[in-house]
Amino acid sequence: QVQVVESGGGLVQAGDSLRLSCAASGRSFSRHTMGWFRQTPGKERELVAVIDWTGNKTDYQDSVKGRFTISRDNAKNTCDLQMNSLKPEDTAVYYCAVDGTWYIFKNYAGSFDYWGQGIQVTVSS
């Protein structure tokens, strides 16, 4: 049984940093795209960052470029999101996701097969 678990969320002030971690279990995901998405009430889930199976190809939402960095450790089946210079508009529930397809790089929520339960990130002004 596949499980995806996020950790590291919380309440911070604008300008602070936060690191989200995602641990996937149940099988190896070393050949799969992993990513982070976020959602606020009344809005669709949106891409934050994704990373391909090699770790060499990434894609970011424009609003987080230069502030957020996604990384992964295939040996540990983990994917982290380092968030710097946080802004109040980054407040959302953040979800880790894993694509079930080998090797293909995807960057839209509908293509991911396994999801975590979500974790709250709140940035106060």
Side-chain angles (χ1 to χ4, degrees), residues 101-112:
T101 306
W102 282 14
Y103 303 130
I104 298 176
F105 182 68
K106 299 178 181 178
N107 61 0
Y108 54 97
S111 65
F112 284 75

Side-chain angles (χ1 to χ4, degrees), residues 12-80:
V12 297
Q13 294 186 334
D16 285 351
S17 297
L18 204 59
R19 189 175 184 89
L20 302 182
S21 295
C22 171
S25 61
R27 55 184 283 195
S28 172
F29 289 106
S30 61
R31 297 181 179 91
H32 302 254
T33 299
M34 300 182 76
W36 287 92
F37 295 80
R38 67 187 182 188
Q39 190 169 21
T40 54
K43 294 188 177 181
E44 291 187 357
R45 195 167 296 185
E46 63 178 13
L47 166 77
V48 177
V50 291
I51 186 167
D52 80 335
W53 69 281
T54 69
N56 294 325
K57 184 173 183 178
T58 58
D59 193 16
Y60 294 89
Q61 182 189 118
D62 286 345
S63 68
V64 308
K65 287 180 180 178
R67 299 189 297 122
F68 291 12
T69 302
I70 190 171
S71 61
R72 66 185 295 161
D73 185 332
N74 284 344
K76 297 180 180 179
N77 250 10
T78 59
C79 179
D80 289 352

Side-chain angles (χ1 to χ4, degrees), residues 82-108:
Q82 177 66 41
M83 305 186 293
N84 299 329
S85 302
L86 282 161
K87 304 176 180 180
E89 50 264 43
D90 294 319
T91 295
V93 176
Y94 283 70
Y95 297 88
C96 179
V98 185
D99 179 33
T101 306
W102 282 14
Y103 303 130
I104 298 176
F105 182 68
K106 299 178 181 178
N107 61 0
Y108 54 97

